[in-house]
Amino acid sequence: KTRVGSPTFKLVSEYTGDNLNFNHVDCYRLNNSSDFIDIGGENLLYPVNAVTLIEWAEKIEEILPSGTIRINFYRVEGHPNQRKLKVIGIKA
């Protein structure tokens, strides 16, 4: 098992899996989608044999693929260690 932390100091962390690879991107320090493209972001949006998770994706909203699945995290009032998730995905 590999522990995956937030790549705050690295913009992109890449992990090798048995069946798929995993790309973890943190856009917090990026200004816009041009910054994302400058770090090779187009390869992260359309990965081959990989899944890409993007934190702070609203900074590059206009270039996200149409099939993007969004997962929003919310704090649970009165429970500081709990989160509520809202998954917005592809309609069948």
Side-chain angles (χ1 to χ4, degrees):
K1 292 184 178 181
T2 301
R3 183 178 169 97
V4 176
S6 181
T8 302
F9 298 106
K10 287 174 51 178
L11 296 174
V12 179
S13 294
E14 298 172 292
Y15 302 90
T16 303
D18 291 336
N19 298 312
L20 286 174
N21 295 329
F22 179 69
N23 304 312
H24 188 184
V25 183
D26 189 336
C27 290
Y28 180 75
R29 294 185 297 137
L30 300 180
N31 293 312
N32 52 45
S33 57
S34 293
D35 287 351
F36 183 77
I37 296 300
D38 287 345
I39 65 166
E42 64 278 2
N43 296 320
L44 297 165
L45 292 178
Y46 301 97
V48 176
N49 296 322
V51 173
T52 299
L53 179 134
I54 303 173
E55 293 183 62
W56 296 90
E58 61 272 14
K59 291 189 169 212
I60 61 166
E61 185 84 34
E62 69 276 4
I63 63 170
L64 293 175
S66 62
T68 297
I69 297 171
R70 178 183 298 274
I71 304 171
N72 294 328
F73 290 76
Y74 303 94
R75 295 187 184 275
V76 177
E77 189 174 333
H79 301 277
N81 294 323
Q82 292 183 12
R83 302 293 182 269
K84 179 179 177 182
L85 302 178
K86 180 178 182 182
V87 179
I88 303 165
I90 304 167
K91 294 182 179 181

